[in-house]
């Protein structure tokens, strides 16, 4: 079976690229098609494959400014001749699914999320851009939305990473999506020895929708210590809270430092809304409980009263109530085995098995 994998862009190694690596383990003969490719920014496992780029890759400063070229990407997908492939897998959170496979080929789209900058988070992205970019966004995005919905009709099967995103796919594209959790390297956290101390942890990029402000306000108001770790445009807003004596800002941290934080934090606070959320899975694999807002991918990655708790309103007050409950019931979260059992479904081995099952289902049709 000849396989093509269409991945939106290859400019870093994040969750989508880790999933691509796992797909390449299943299909070692696969060719990769992408809009922008920076070989120095991706792994050897990806670089070993034949990689074909669209015309976007030749535009000025494409490796850094690729997102500004997004309105041109749907048309650029027409560069890709996929007529010789039996199986096409598009990996999309940017434009990728709008390719034209052979009529007899099977096209699976692993949709990490419908493009957030043209749908759910459009207004947030609009507020965060400069006036010239806003001018073009308002004029180009309506047509990009039309293309996005139309291109969903040439996908044979949608797969996604959480029930939350599956609902979004159904709402926007009117298509059902099978949930196959993305692969997480849970093994590197399994041997972390937990020695909880006196602080809670917020870990992640410091951007608006992550809602670090809720975790900070809740801890300051209730007199609890909080460590905030992660780079981001709003890091100076975090530093001002250090005057309270309760908040410590560490900025960008290494993998070793992350392991130490998971080992010694009382619990991870996760007040934002994520499509999937890699960090709660890592925390659970470390045996670190998670206190999360009851929405988004956390509804899949956190098992209530087993690996963590939820709070029902995205406010400091609601989080404080869950912190109070957690501290009265910490014994519920001491059994490391219940954490290990829960996270197995997010392993790379589980991902590979489920993707193979999807392919086998096609063979039986």
């Amino acid at each position: 079976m000849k396989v093509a994998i269409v991945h939106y862009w290859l400019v870093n190694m994040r969750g989508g690229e880790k999933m691509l690596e796992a797909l390449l383990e299943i299909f070692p003969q696969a060719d990769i098609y992408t809009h922008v490719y920076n070989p120095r920014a991706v792994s050897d496992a990806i670089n070993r494959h034949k990689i074909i780029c669209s015309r976007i890759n030749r535009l000025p400063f494409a490796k850094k400014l690729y997102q500004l070229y997004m309105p041109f990407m749907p048309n650029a997908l027409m560069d890709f001749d996929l007529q010789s492939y039996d199986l096409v897998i598009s990996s999309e959170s940017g434009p990728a699914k709008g390719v034209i496979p052979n009529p007899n080929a099977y096209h699976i789209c692993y949709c990490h999320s419908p493009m957030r900058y043209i749908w759910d988070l459009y207004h947030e992205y609009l507020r965060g851009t400069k006036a010239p970019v806003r001018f073009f966004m308002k004029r180009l995005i309506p047509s990009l939305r039309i293309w996005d919905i139309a291109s969903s009709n040439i996908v044979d099967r949608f797969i996604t990473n959480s029930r939350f995103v599956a609902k979004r796919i159904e709402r926007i594209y009117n298509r059902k999506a099978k949930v196959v959790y993305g692969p997480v390297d849970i093994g590197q956290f399994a041997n972390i020895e937990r020695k909880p101390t006196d602080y809670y942890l917020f870990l992640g990029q410091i951007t608006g929708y992550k809602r670090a402000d809720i975790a900070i306000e809740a801890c300051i108001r209730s007199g609890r210590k909080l460590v905030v770790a992660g780079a981001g445009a709003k890091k100076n807003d975090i530093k001002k809270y250090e005057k309270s004596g309760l908040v410590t800002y560490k900025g960008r941290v290494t993998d070793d430092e992350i392991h130490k934080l998971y080992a010694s934090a009382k619990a991870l606070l996760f007040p934002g809304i994520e499509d999937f959320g890699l960090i709660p899975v890592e925390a659970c694999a470390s045996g670190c409980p998670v206190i999360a807002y009851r929405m988004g991918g956390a509804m899949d990655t956190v098992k209530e009263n087993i690996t963590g708790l939820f709070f029902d309103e995205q406010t400091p007050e609601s989080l404080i109530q869950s912190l109070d409950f957690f501290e009265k019931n910490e014994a519920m979260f001491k059994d490391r085995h219940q954490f290990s059992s829960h996270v197995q479904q997010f392993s790379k081995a589980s991902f590979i098995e489920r993707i193979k099952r999807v392919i086998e289902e096609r063979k039986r049709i």
Side-chain angles (χ1 to χ4, degrees):
M1 184 165 59
K2 196 171 181 184
V3 180
I5 301 176
V6 187
H7 189 74
Y8 41 98
W9 43 71
L10 291 170
V11 295
N12 48 36
M13 286 300 298
R14 301 176 69 179
E17 290 69 43
K18 294 293 185 182
M19 190 206 77
L20 174 59
E21 285 185 323
L23 287 173
L24 294 173
E25 287 191 32
I26 307 172
F27 307 108
Q29 80 281 21
D31 297 330
I32 302 171
Y33 289 78
T34 190
H35 287 295
V36 182
Y37 172 44
N38 182 357
R40 290 178 291 181
V42 297
S43 67
D44 290 341
I46 293 173
N47 283 327
R48 280 195 292 268
H49 287 256
K50 181 180 179 181
I51 298 176
I52 301 96
C53 299
S54 76
R55 71 189 76 158
I56 304 297
N57 198 54
R58 299 191 296 271
L59 295 176
F61 308 106
K63 293 178 177 61
K64 290 186 177 180
L65 302 179
Y66 55 94
Q67 288 180 317
L68 293 180
Y69 293 128
M70 188 184 62
F72 306 107
M73 290 181 182
N75 186 262
L77 289 170
M78 303 298 289
D79 293 346
F80 299 148
D81 182 359
L82 305 179
Q83 296 305 299
S84 64
Y85 294 94
D86 306 298
L87 174 65
V88 175
I89 302 175
S90 53
S91 167
E92 174 160 293
S93 63
K97 69 180 181 300
V99 291
I100 308 298
N102 184 302
N104 296 317
Y106 191 44
H107 180 188
I108 297 172
C109 177
Y110 193 107
C111 184
H112 305 273
S113 171
M115 290 183 283
R116 287 169 289 190
Y117 17 79
I118 70 172
W119 297 111
D120 301 62
L121 297 183
Y122 166 73
H123 292 287
E124 184 169 328
Y125 277 91
L126 197 68
R127 286 193 296 270
T129 58
K130 295 180 180 178
V133 177
R134 286 199 298 273
F135 175 84
F136 286 104
M137 281 182 70
K138 289 180 179 179
R139 283 150 184 82
L140 294 173
I141 282 181
S143 61
L144 192 54
R145 286 176 178 158
I146 293 170
W147 172 87
D148 191 39
I149 293 173
S151 64
S152 70
N153 292 316
I154 55 176
V155 173
D156 294 304
R157 184 77 180 271
F158 273 98
I159 304 175
T160 193
N161 52 19
S162 69
R163 291 174 293 168
F164 179 66
V165 178
K167 290 178 182 177
R168 189 184 297 159
I169 289 169
E170 186 170 11
R171 186 179 73 247
I172 295 171
Y173 302 143
N174 197 27
R175 297 289 301 277
K176 297 286 186 181
K178 183 178 180 66
V179 176
V180 176
Y181 300 126
V184 182
D185 185 7
I186 60 176
Q188 66 168 304
F189 304 99
N191 295 322
I192 290 177
E193 185 179 354
R194 283 275 295 160
K195 293 183 179 179
T197 56
D198 62 345
Y199 71 86
Y200 291 92
L201 173 65
F202 175 93
L203 176 62
Q205 195 79 2
I206 312 301
T207 56
Y209 76 94
K210 301 277 188 179
R211 300 307 307 268
D213 58 305
I214 292 176
I216 292 167
E217 290 290 346
C219 287
I220 290 177
R221 291 185 197 179
S222 60
R224 294 176 166 101
K225 291 183 180 179
L226 177 71
V227 170
V228 178
K234 296 188 176 182
K235 61 183 178 182
N236 290 330
D237 293 341
I238 306 297
K239 287 184 176 180
K240 68 184 180 183
Y241 290 106
E242 291 185 305
K243 297 176 183 178
S244 68
L246 294 170
V247 177
T248 302
Y249 177 62
K250 289 188 172 292
R252 189 185 298 275
V253 288
T254 65
D255 288 346
D256 286 342
E257 290 172 321
I258 289 173
H259 292 176
K260 291 175 183 176
L261 290 170
Y262 284 145
S264 53
K266 295 183 72 168
L268 173 78
L269 305 186
F270 197 73
I273 303 173
E274 294 273 12
D275 296 329
F276 173 66
L278 181 68
I279 289 172
V281 179
E282 293 179 350
C284 289
S286 306
C288 178
V290 181
I291 302 176
Y293 176 50
R294 196 188 294 274
M295 190 169 288
M299 298 294 291
D300 291 87
T301 57
V302 179
K303 193 171 183 180
E304 191 166 23
N305 296 327
I306 301 295
T307 67
L309 298 171
F310 293 106
F311 58 102
D312 295 319
E313 297 178 11
Q314 215 173 14
T315 62
E317 294 78 11
S318 184
L319 175 54
I320 289 170
Q321 290 179 3
S322 288
L323 289 169
D324 292 341
F325 180 87
F326 173 77
E327 291 180 359
K328 291 176 183 176
N329 298 276
E330 281 189 72
M332 293 170 58
F333 309 100
K334 298 292 186 183
D335 184 356
R336 186 64 176 268
H337 176 72
Q338 64 190 17
F339 286 84
S340 299
S341 297
H342 173 66
V343 297
Q344 292 308 312
Q345 63 189 316
F346 307 109
S347 69
K348 183 166 70 172
S350 178
F351 171 82
I352 289 174
E353 178 187 345
R354 293 181 183 190
I355 291 293
K356 286 181 176 179
R357 201 177 302 159
V358 171
I359 304 300
E360 289 299 318
E361 287 172 3
R362 162 63 174 173
K363 290 178 181 179
R364 291 194 294 268
I365 295 175

mmCIF file of all heavy atoms in Angstrom, residues 213-238:
data_model
loop_
_atom_site.group_PDB
_atom_site.id
_atom_site.type_symbol
_atom_site.label_atom_id
_atom_site.label_comp_id
_atom_site.label_asym_id
_atom_site.label_seq_id
_atom_site.Cartn_x
_atom_site.Cartn_y
_atom_site.Cartn_z
ATOM 1 N N ASP A 213 -3.983 33.359 34.970
ATOM 2 C CA ASP A 213 -4.482 34.353 35.922
ATOM 3 C C ASP A 213 -5.426 33.746 36.944
ATOM 4 O O ASP A 213 -5.439 34.152 38.119
ATOM 5 C CB ASP A 213 -5.178 35.497 35.179
ATOM 6 C CG ASP A 213 -6.342 35.010 34.315
ATOM 7 O OD1 ASP A 213 -6.133 34.117 33.460
ATOM 8 O OD2 ASP A 213 -7.476 35.515 34.497
ATOM 9 N N ILE A 214 -6.224 32.745 36.525
ATOM 10 C CA ILE A 214 -7.165 32.110 37.457
ATOM 11 C C ILE A 214 -6.409 31.340 38.532
ATOM 12 O O ILE A 214 -6.728 31.430 39.727
ATOM 13 C CB ILE A 214 -8.136 31.187 36.699
ATOM 14 C CG1 ILE A 214 -9.068 32.009 35.817
ATOM 15 C CG2 ILE A 214 -8.936 30.308 37.665
ATOM 16 C CD1 ILE A 214 -9.994 31.181 34.956
ATOM 17 N N ALA A 215 -5.392 30.595 38.126
ATOM 18 C CA ALA A 215 -4.587 29.834 39.093
ATOM 19 C C ALA A 215 -3.885 30.780 40.063
ATOM 20 O O ALA A 215 -3.841 30.530 41.277
ATOM 21 C CB ALA A 215 -3.571 28.973 38.352
ATOM 22 N N ILE A 216 -3.348 31.881 39.548
ATOM 23 C CA ILE A 216 -2.619 32.843 40.390
ATOM 24 C C ILE A 216 -3.552 33.503 41.391
ATOM 25 O O ILE A 216 -3.264 33.569 42.595
ATOM 26 C CB ILE A 216 -1.920 33.890 39.499
ATOM 27 C CG1 ILE A 216 -0.793 33.238 38.692
ATOM 28 C CG2 ILE A 216 -1.366 35.037 40.339
ATOM 29 C CD1 ILE A 216 -0.249 34.103 37.579
ATOM 30 N N GLU A 217 -4.676 34.006 40.908
ATOM 31 C CA GLU A 217 -5.615 34.697 41.801
ATOM 32 C C GLU A 217 -6.157 33.758 42.869
ATOM 33 O O GLU A 217 -6.300 34.140 44.042
ATOM 34 C CB GLU A 217 -6.763 35.293 40.987
ATOM 35 C CG GLU A 217 -6.373 36.471 40.109
ATOM 36 C CD GLU A 217 -6.045 37.721 40.913
ATOM 37 O OE1 GLU A 217 -6.372 37.766 42.117
ATOM 38 O OE2 GLU A 217 -5.448 38.652 40.341
ATOM 39 N N ALA A 218 -6.457 32.518 42.474
ATOM 40 C CA ALA A 218 -7.000 31.556 43.439
ATOM 41 C C ALA A 218 -5.987 31.281 44.553
ATOM 42 O O ALA A 218 -6.365 31.215 45.735
ATOM 43 C CB ALA A 218 -7.373 30.260 42.726
ATOM 44 N N CYS A 219 -4.740 31.120 44.193
ATOM 45 C CA CYS A 219 -3.726 30.804 45.203
ATOM 46 C C CYS A 219 -3.422 32.000 46.093
ATOM 47 O O CYS A 219 -3.270 31.854 47.311
ATOM 48 C CB CYS A 219 -2.451 30.292 44.523
ATOM 49 S SG CYS A 219 -2.618 28.623 43.857
ATOM 50 N N ILE A 220 -3.345 33.186 45.511
ATOM 51 C CA ILE A 220 -3.080 34.379 46.331
ATOM 52 C C ILE A 220 -4.230 34.629 47.302
ATOM 53 O O ILE A 220 -4.021 34.886 48.490
ATOM 54 C CB ILE A 220 -2.835 35.606 45.425
ATOM 55 C CG1 ILE A 220 -1.501 35.468 44.691
ATOM 56 C CG2 ILE A 220 -2.855 36.892 46.248
ATOM 57 C CD1 ILE A 220 -1.208 36.586 43.713
ATOM 58 N N ARG A 221 -5.464 34.535 46.796
ATOM 59 C CA ARG A 221 -6.624 34.808 47.663
ATOM 60 C C ARG A 221 -6.748 33.799 48.787
ATOM 61 O O ARG A 221 -7.226 34.130 49.882
ATOM 62 C CB ARG A 221 -7.911 34.797 46.838
ATOM 63 C CG ARG A 221 -8.035 35.955 45.875
ATOM 64 C CD ARG A 221 -9.409 35.923 45.200
ATOM 65 N NE ARG A 221 -9.452 36.751 44.012
ATOM 66 C CZ ARG A 221 -10.530 36.876 43.247
ATOM 67 N NH1 ARG A 221 -11.642 36.216 43.557
ATOM 68 N NH2 ARG A 221 -10.498 37.655 42.179
ATOM 69 N N SER A 222 -6.328 32.559 48.532
ATOM 70 C CA SER A 222 -6.494 31.515 49.553
ATOM 71 C C SER A 222 -5.201 31.236 50.325
ATOM 72 O O SER A 222 -5.163 30.311 51.130
ATOM 73 C CB SER A 222 -6.998 30.222 48.900
ATOM 74 O OG SER A 222 -6.074 29.755 47.932
ATOM 75 N N GLY A 223 -4.158 32.032 50.067
ATOM 76 C CA GLY A 223 -2.918 31.899 50.821
ATOM 77 C C GLY A 223 -2.128 30.646 50.484
ATOM 78 O O GLY A 223 -1.421 30.109 51.353
ATOM 79 N N ARG A 224 -2.197 30.185 49.265
ATOM 80 C CA ARG A 224 -1.475 28.981 48.852
ATOM 81 C C ARG A 224 -0.300 29.348 47.936
ATOM 82 O O ARG A 224 -0.371 30.317 47.184
ATOM 83 C CB ARG A 224 -2.424 28.021 48.128
ATOM 84 C CG ARG A 224 -3.523 27.449 49.024
ATOM 85 C CD ARG A 224 -4.481 26.590 48.216
ATOM 86 N NE ARG A 224 -5.342 25.779 49.062
ATOM 87 C CZ ARG A 224 -6.613 26.076 49.343
ATOM 88 N NH1 ARG A 224 -7.176 27.173 48.865
ATOM 89 N NH2 ARG A 224 -7.322 25.277 50.134
ATOM 90 N N LYS A 225 0.741 28.545 47.980
ATOM 91 C CA LYS A 225 1.907 28.778 47.129
ATOM 92 C C LYS A 225 1.684 28.195 45.742
ATOM 93 O O LYS A 225 1.081 27.129 45.592
ATOM 94 C CB LYS A 225 3.153 28.141 47.761
ATOM 95 C CG LYS A 225 3.624 28.827 49.037
ATOM 96 C CD LYS A 225 4.898 28.181 49.558
ATOM 97 C CE LYS A 225 5.381 28.860 50.833
ATOM 98 N NZ LYS A 225 6.614 28.219 51.353
ATOM 99 N N LEU A 226 2.200 28.912 44.744
ATOM 100 C CA LEU A 226 2.059 28.491 43.359
ATOM 101 C C LEU A 226 3.377 28.715 42.628
ATOM 102 O O LEU A 226 3.982 29.784 42.732
ATOM 103 C CB LEU A 226 0.949 29.283 42.663
ATOM 104 C CG LEU A 226 0.735 28.980 41.173
ATOM 105 C CD1 LEU A 226 0.121 27.603 40.978
ATOM 106 C CD2 LEU A 226 -0.145 30.056 40.511
ATOM 107 N N VAL A 227 3.803 27.716 41.875
ATOM 108 C CA VAL A 227 4.942 27.855 40.969
ATOM 109 C C VAL A 227 4.383 27.918 39.544
ATOM 110 O O VAL A 227 3.611 27.043 39.135
ATOM 111 C CB VAL A 227 5.930 26.677 41.107
ATOM 112 C CG1 VAL A 227 6.977 26.724 39.989
ATOM 113 C CG2 VAL A 227 6.613 26.719 42.470
ATOM 114 N N VAL A 228 4.765 28.964 38.805
ATOM 115 C CA VAL A 228 4.348 29.137 37.420
ATOM 116 C C VAL A 228 5.567 28.911 36.531
ATOM 117 O O VAL A 228 6.594 29.575 36.696
ATOM 118 C CB VAL A 228 3.770 30.549 37.174
ATOM 119 C CG1 VAL A 228 3.386 30.718 35.709
ATOM 120 C CG2 VAL A 228 2.570 30.795 38.080
ATOM 121 N N ALA A 229 5.462 27.963 35.616
ATOM 122 C CA ALA A 229 6.581 27.631 34.732
ATOM 123 C C ALA A 229 6.112 27.640 33.289
ATOM 124 O O ALA A 229 5.088 27.038 32.965
ATOM 125 C CB ALA A 229 7.159 26.261 35.092
ATOM 126 N N GLY A 230 6.860 28.331 32.425
ATOM 127 C CA GLY A 230 6.510 28.387 31.007
ATOM 128 C C GLY A 230 6.806 29.757 30.426
ATOM 129 O O GLY A 230 6.659 30.771 31.109
ATOM 130 N N ALA A 231 7.235 29.774 29.188
ATOM 131 C CA ALA A 231 7.517 31.037 28.508
ATOM 132 C C ALA A 231 6.241 31.578 27.903
ATOM 133 O O ALA A 231 5.242 30.878 27.785
ATOM 134 C CB ALA A 231 8.577 30.817 27.432
ATOM 135 N N GLY A 232 6.275 32.851 27.505
ATOM 136 C CA GLY A 232 5.097 33.412 26.868
ATOM 137 C C GLY A 232 5.126 34.918 26.848
ATOM 138 O O GLY A 232 5.855 35.556 27.610
ATOM 139 N N ALA A 233 4.272 35.476 26.004
ATOM 140 C CA ALA A 233 4.276 36.922 25.800
ATOM 141 C C ALA A 233 3.864 37.694 27.049
ATOM 142 O O ALA A 233 4.208 38.855 27.199
ATOM 143 C CB ALA A 233 3.340 37.265 24.638
ATOM 144 N N LYS A 234 3.125 37.048 27.947
ATOM 145 C CA LYS A 234 2.622 37.763 29.108
ATOM 146 C C LYS A 234 3.391 37.428 30.384
ATOM 147 O O LYS A 234 2.879 37.535 31.489
ATOM 148 C CB LYS A 234 1.135 37.466 29.304
ATOM 149 C CG LYS A 234 0.272 37.966 28.150
ATOM 150 C CD LYS A 234 -1.202 37.846 28.461
ATOM 151 C CE LYS A 234 -2.033 38.441 27.335
ATOM 152 N NZ LYS A 234 -3.486 38.384 27.613
ATOM 153 N N LYS A 235 4.673 37.033 30.238
ATOM 154 C CA LYS A 235 5.437 36.625 31.416
ATOM 155 C C LYS A 235 5.629 37.774 32.402
ATOM 156 O O LYS A 235 5.686 37.547 33.616
ATOM 157 C CB LYS A 235 6.784 36.049 30.993
ATOM 158 C CG LYS A 235 7.686 36.996 30.234
ATOM 159 C CD LYS A 235 8.959 36.274 29.799
ATOM 160 C CE LYS A 235 9.863 37.207 28.992
ATOM 161 N NZ LYS A 235 11.071 36.500 28.525
ATOM 162 N N ASN A 236 5.713 39.037 31.909
ATOM 163 C CA ASN A 236 5.872 40.169 32.823
ATOM 164 C C ASN A 236 4.646 40.354 33.701
ATOM 165 O O ASN A 236 4.746 40.836 34.834
ATOM 166 C CB ASN A 236 6.161 41.442 32.032
ATOM 167 C CG ASN A 236 7.547 41.424 31.397
ATOM 168 O OD1 ASN A 236 8.462 40.804 31.936
ATOM 169 N ND2 ASN A 236 7.694 42.079 30.255
ATOM 170 N N ASP A 237 3.481 39.967 33.175
ATOM 171 C CA ASP A 237 2.263 40.032 33.987
ATOM 172 C C ASP A 237 2.330 39.037 35.144
ATOM 173 O O ASP A 237 1.728 39.263 36.197
ATOM 174 C CB ASP A 237 1.032 39.731 33.131
ATOM 175 C CG ASP A 237 0.774 40.822 32.101
ATOM 176 O OD1 ASP A 237 1.289 41.929 32.281
ATOM 177 O OD2 ASP A 237 0.061 40.545 31.115
ATOM 178 N N ILE A 238 3.054 37.933 34.943
ATOM 179 C CA ILE A 238 3.200 36.933 35.996
ATOM 180 C C ILE A 238 4.164 37.428 37.067
ATOM 181 O O ILE A 238 3.921 37.281 38.270
ATOM 182 C CB ILE A 238 3.712 35.597 35.416
ATOM 183 C CG1 ILE A 238 2.809 35.110 34.271
ATOM 184 C CG2 ILE A 238 3.814 34.533 36.504
ATOM 185 C CD1 ILE A 238 1.413 34.791 34.658
#
